[in-house]
Amino acid sequence: MITFHLAAHSNLPPYVQIVEQVRQALLNGVLRPGDRLPTVKEVVGSLAINPNTVLKAYRDLERLGLVEGRQGVGTFVTRRPDGPPPNEQAALKRALTAWVGKARRAGLADADIESMVRAVLATSENEAIA
Amino acid sequence: MTTAPDGVAIAADGLGKRYGSKWALRDCTFAVPQGRVCGLVGANGAGKTTLLRLLAGLSRPSAGHAAVSGQVPRDSAEFLGEIGYLAQDVPLYRRWSVEDHLRMGAHLNRRWDDPAARDRLGTLRIPLDQRVGTLSGGQRAQVALALALAKRPRVLMLDEPVAALDPLARRSFLSTLAEAVADGELTVILSSHLVADLERVCDHLVVLAESRTMLAADLDSVLAEHRLLVGPRRDTSAIERDHTVLHSERTQRQVSLWVRLDGPLHDPNWQVEELNLEEIMLAYLGLGAEQPAKAARSEVSA
Amino acid sequence: MTWLLWRQHRAQAAIAAILLGAFAIPVLVTGSSLHAAFTACRASDRCGGDLLNGYENVNTLVDLTILVPAVIGLFWGAVIVGRELETGTVALVWTQTVTKRRWLGSKLITLFAAALLSGAAVSGLVTWWSSTRNATLESRFGGLQFDIQGVAPVGYTIFAAALGLASGVIWRRALPAMATTVGGYIGVRMVVELFLRPHYMAPVSTLSGLSKGFGPPTGSLNVGSDILLHGRVLGGAIRMPEQCASGSSRPASDACLDRLGYQLRQTYQPAGRYWTFQWIEFGIFAALAVLLTVVAVVLLRRRDA
């Protein structure tokens, strides 16, 4: 069963964070189609947040077609979001870990690394549009 | 069982309370829809406790009306059966055990969910035979909450329930509260000045400053409508006319305005920044000394 | 509410029962032997004050019951509502479904029933025990005895309870409430006893020669005595005139004073009026109790928790 957490100083509203965590869990294979998501009461009990927040997140996930709510039983995962399969995700993550190690040894601080990643994402997006 | 009209669990209309010549609360108007968790915010002495006592029927208004779960707050079993109230100092009979309090509740209330209360206290590992005076502050607050919830209220009123608790006890209390709301059919109004807690647990907000309502709205709307506008120093009368300016700061070259946008912002020359709840609260609470450009309005979103 | 009242006040009830028992036992035991002795001495018409020799301790215990109403006012009256106002538990109990009205009604019934019963039990025991003493030693119409026998002490008890209740509601704090209860009780009792009681009905006055001696008839309530000369009341320090004082015996000097026109006027309430006065005094304190209770109830309903 997945447990959620909320980042303390995130700009993202809580329900968006929950949706993201479910998507990531699905991509990583932690959650699989057929698994049951925690009940609203369980999430709310562990996070001390408003139940409507969780309801909103689950509704969003339902709209994305990732989960399905069954009255009286729970909310179940229906499919995996589009993205690379878990082993490919793991391989990409390993490559990234190696590169980050290289960058740090070269003298880049974490903040510089983040800026570089964002810059590359931005330019590649522009190129994709163009 | 009474059903509130239009699904409004708590309604106040021009509510006011005077002690002698001093008004502790004045012109208080707002509506909280059913199923919401409403945060009541304001500086000390702004009238939060007064408002909650008026809603619980412990005090009678000097002006205006209130309706809780569709009824006027009064000393009747029909009304008292609908509400739960937790006073600021968490009053309990110090020499009694937790068990004694549960028995008291069973004897004095018509609806009483004893198993749920025992279950809840058991999960929290609070021993039932222990004297309440020897429990920690957090445990006492949980006992009081369990008592209030066991009478199955439709509307629960909490006066600064977590102010004196350590972070762990606070989190535990709010979890219990959130779980009770998730069970359904419960509307909560709680006063607090811990903004982080409010952001997590509340989805509706009422702000009091200088004993008047400054804001009453959905939390999401509040976050969506309040912005910080920064720009080179210039004439701001257009902004002041079209929107509500809560607070302004001017330097020689720059002007910053904390505003509630009452419509689209037409002027593109402003740098627009989002505000988090704490910053919004501070802007309103600093308002006590100044008057807002427009009267506060309250919103009820479906 | 029954469960709540029992749980809240069971310790006080237990203490009261123990104290009452501790009081009743010596009183009952000594009382029966006193009654037996009295019956015996009456047969031979030789009853005197010495009948009570050896019973001094119980006598003192009985006299101490004059404190009972004040104690009840302090520990029951001032506490039953006042303590809950002080600790703030009213905010808890008034938001249960029982309603403030029923809560208050039950508390009042409990307080006054307990006060009535305790007051009646104590004064019943005291009155029964004192019948011997009344007949042989002191008048029951005077001072302390009037206060501890009959129905008057029951009136004092419910008055003290009501005074404690009102003080608790007004002050909402234990110390001032207790001070007001004790101070108010003593003050009112003194005023009534010293200034009002002698005049519930127009007192009787008799004139006599000084040889008759001072003091009202047995069993009556002394209101006052004056010395008159030729029908005029003598005030201030009264000195024996020389001619009557010169060395003669007492009967001779009395006769001398009579000849000169000195008279003794004794004002008193006759013994037969005892029960009338008891009920009047009970009525006064019961009325005060009702008044104070109404004040307490009105204040509690109007003021906020």
Side-chain angles (χ1 to χ4, degrees):
Chain A
M1 176 92 89
I2 184 178
T3 42
F4 299 112
H5 62 274
L6 291 183
H9 297 291
S10 170
N11 284 331
L12 295 175
Y15 84 94
V16 169
Q17 292 185 45
I18 293 177
V19 170
E20 257 317 293
Q21 285 171 40
V22 170
R23 285 193 65 247
Q24 281 306 311
L26 285 169
L27 283 173
N28 292 336
V30 168
L31 268 182
R32 280 185 281 248
D35 285 347
R36 190 176 69 88
L37 292 180
T39 62
V40 174
K41 188 167 172 179
E42 284 164 347
V43 177
V44 139
S46 67
L47 290 182
I49 57 171
N50 193 288
N52 287 328
T53 308
V54 183
L55 284 169
K56 222 194 288 194
Y58 282 16
R59 271 201 300 269
D60 257 22
L61 288 165
E62 208 165 0
R63 242 183 318 111
L64 289 172
L66 298 174
V67 307
E68 183 191 24
R70 278 176 231 151
Q71 185 74 299
V73 191
T75 312
F76 293 83
V77 179
T78 48
R79 67 171 185 85
R80 212 172 151 273
D82 301 324
N87 53 339
E88 213 178 301
Q89 279 238 183
L92 283 166
K93 192 164 175 189
R94 277 197 299 273
L96 180 60
T97 313
W99 180 89
V100 167
K102 244 169 89 179
R104 281 193 178 137
R105 284 193 294 274
L108 279 179
D110 283 2
D112 301 325
I113 295 176
E114 277 182 47
S115 301
M116 191 183 275
V117 171
R118 262 187 261 141
V120 167
L121 284 171
T123 40
S124 58
E125 193 174 324
N126 291 339
E127 282 168 13
I129 294 172
Chain B
M1 177 176 108
T2 45
T3 35
D6 313 323
V8 171
I10 306 172
D13 184 13
L15 202 56
K17 178 71 184 177
R18 181 178 48 181
Y19 291 104
S21 58
K22 186 172 184 310
W23 287 89
L25 185 72
R26 207 159 185 183
D27 297 329
C28 184
T29 303
F30 64 91
V32 179
Q34 253 169 3
R36 297 302 178 91
V37 178
C38 179
L40 180 59
V41 195
N44 293 336
K48 305 195 293 281
T49 299
T50 309
L51 174 59
L52 288 171
R53 284 153 54 93
L54 285 168
L55 294 176
L58 288 172
S59 187
R60 265 171 310 202
S62 314
H65 325 279
V68 174
S69 197
Q71 304 182 45
V72 174
R74 64 196 186 284
D75 186 39
S76 82
E78 209 194 344
F79 172 73
L80 292 171
E82 300 283 290
I83 63 151
Y85 178 77
L86 184 41
Q88 193 162 3
D89 44 358
V90 189
L92 294 168
Y93 293 102
R94 293 291 170 111
R95 293 219 203 98
W96 286 15
S97 66
V98 179
E99 177 78 44
D100 285 331
H101 285 86
L102 288 173
R103 293 235 193 94
M104 176 197 76
H107 280 98
L108 295 186
N109 291 292
R110 292 190 188 162
R111 278 202 301 260
W112 185 256
D113 193 347
D114 206 62
R118 286 172 195 271
D119 204 44
R120 197 174 277 125
L121 293 169
T123 316
L124 294 163
R125 283 191 255 204
I126 295 176
L128 295 180
D129 55 359
Q130 192 166 336
R131 279 194 177 187
V132 159
T134 59
L135 294 174
S136 73
Q139 288 176 314
R140 274 203 294 274
Q142 287 283 15
V143 169
L145 180 61
L147 290 175
L149 290 171
K151 66 191 289 266
R152 311 296 267 146
R154 302 246 182 278
V155 179
L156 183 60
M157 296 163 230
L158 309 171
D159 194 351
E160 305 242 19
V162 294
L165 304 183
D166 62 79
L168 191 60
R170 262 206 326 262
R171 178 60 66 91
S172 175
F173 185 94
L174 292 173
S175 288
T176 310
L177 185 62
E179 283 176 324
V181 175
D183 273 339
E185 297 221 15
L186 179 64
T187 308
V188 177
I189 178 166
L190 74 145
S191 70
S192 179
H193 24 57
L194 298 163
V195 177
D197 290 342
L198 291 170
E199 268 181 309
R200 288 180 92 92
V201 137
C202 299
D203 53 5
H204 198 91
L205 210 62
V206 171
V207 179
L208 296 180
E210 294 287 302
S211 315
R212 296 183 133 94
T213 21
M214 294 296 177
L215 174 68
D218 238 35
L219 190 59
D220 289 340
S221 316
V222 170
L223 292 168
E225 287 168 8
H226 289 78
R227 293 285 183 266
L228 172 63
L229 304 179
V230 182
R233 187 170 176 140
R234 63 179 122 151
D235 176 37
T236 53
S237 50
I239 298 286
E240 283 167 21
R241 191 187 56 232
D242 294 335
H243 309 288
T244 311
V245 175
L246 306 175
H247 181 62
S248 60
E249 275 174 19
R250 288 175 166 84
T251 65
Q252 264 207 332
R253 303 223 187 120
Q254 198 181 54
V255 61
S256 308
L257 300 174
W258 280 256
V259 299
R260 183 177 70 214
L261 296 171
D262 294 332
L265 185 63
H266 295 296
D267 190 342
N269 293 325
W270 290 99
Q271 181 191 332
V272 180
E273 296 195 10
E274 293 186 353
L275 291 166
N276 68 21
L277 189 59
E278 178 155 26
E279 291 161 335
I280 299 173
M281 288 299 97
L282 288 172
Y284 273 100
L285 298 182
L287 246 193
E290 329 153 21
Q291 290 302 309
K294 285 191 198 157
R297 51 161 209 227
S298 64
E299 299 168 34
V300 177
S301 318
Chain C
M1 271 312 290
T2 321
W3 182 89
L4 176 68
L5 288 163
W6 171 248
R7 180 64 186 82
Q8 273 191 298
H9 304 298
R10 65 186 187 190
Q12 286 156 317
I15 292 171
I18 290 170
L19 288 175
L20 191 61
F23 176 71
I25 291 169
V27 167
L28 287 167
V29 166
T30 55
S32 2
S33 46
L34 267 176
H35 283 140
F38 187 57
T39 320
C41 79
R42 255 211 300 206
S44 50
D45 204 27
R46 281 193 315 107
C47 294
D50 58 347
L51 208 55
L52 280 128
N53 288 354
Y55 293 96
E56 285 85 1
N57 289 337
V58 186
N59 201 2
T60 313
L61 183 66
V62 164
D63 284 351
L64 281 174
T65 59
I66 195 168
L67 299 172
V68 166
V71 165
I72 286 180
L74 257 178
F75 291 102
W76 293 1
V79 163
I80 196 169
V81 166
R83 182 115 185 86
E84 296 222 50
L85 287 171
E86 185 178 16
T87 57
T89 49
V90 283
L92 172 64
V93 76
W94 288 349
T95 48
Q96 308 299 305
T97 319
V98 69
T99 78
K100 188 169 157 183
R101 176 175 292 164
R102 254 191 73 201
W103 176 87
L104 184 59
S106 309
K107 288 241 171 184
L108 288 178
I109 290 173
T110 307
L111 174 66
F112 288 111
L116 256 168
L117 285 172
S118 329
V122 171
S123 93
L125 284 166
V126 168
T127 309
W128 173 80
W129 190 90
S130 300
S131 57
T132 317
R133 179 169 57 179
N134 292 340
T136 60
L137 209 57
E138 301 169 52
S139 163
R140 64 178 179 176
F141 214 148
L144 181 76
Q145 294 309 312
F146 188 91
D147 293 353
I148 60 175
Q149 298 184 39
V151 290
V154 182
Y156 305 156
T157 310
I158 56 179
F159 164 68
L163 182 56
L165 175 75
S167 304
V169 169
I170 290 171
W171 296 107
R172 298 164 174 241
R173 277 187 356 263
L175 245 40
M178 289 180 155
T180 312
T181 307
V182 171
Y185 177 77
I186 292 174
V188 172
R189 282 267 285 113
M190 272 176 62
V191 164
V192 170
E193 179 159 338
L194 298 178
F195 301 110
L196 298 184
R197 188 190 295 167
H199 303 284
Y200 289 159
M201 293 169 76
V204 166
S205 289
T206 54
L207 286 171
S208 62
L210 286 154
S211 54
K212 272 292 198 70
F214 290 87
T218 12
S220 64
L221 172 65
N222 184 19
V223 176
S225 48
D226 301 296
I227 295 182
L228 290 91
L229 178 60
H230 301 307
R232 271 181 53 247
V233 180
L234 293 180
I238 297 167
R239 268 183 291 113
M240 178 85 85
E242 263 185 46
Q243 56 199 121
C244 297
S246 41
S248 20
S249 66
R250 177 70 195 272
S253 79
D254 282 344
C256 163
L257 290 165
D258 284 347
R259 267 199 317 267
L260 287 176
Y262 284 89
Q263 279 178 308
L264 175 66
R265 185 175 67 186
Q266 192 71 46
T267 313
Y268 61 95
Q269 300 283 1
R273 292 183 182 176
Y274 173 76
W275 278 108
T276 312
F277 271 46
Q278 277 276 325
W279 282 105
I280 291 175
E281 188 134 330
F282 173 84
I284 291 174
F285 282 92
L288 285 172
V290 168
L291 182 65
L292 284 166
T293 306
V294 168
V295 167
V297 170
V298 166
L299 276 179
L300 200 58
R301 290 187 69 76
R302 275 175 174 276
R303 273 165 83 165
D304 303 327

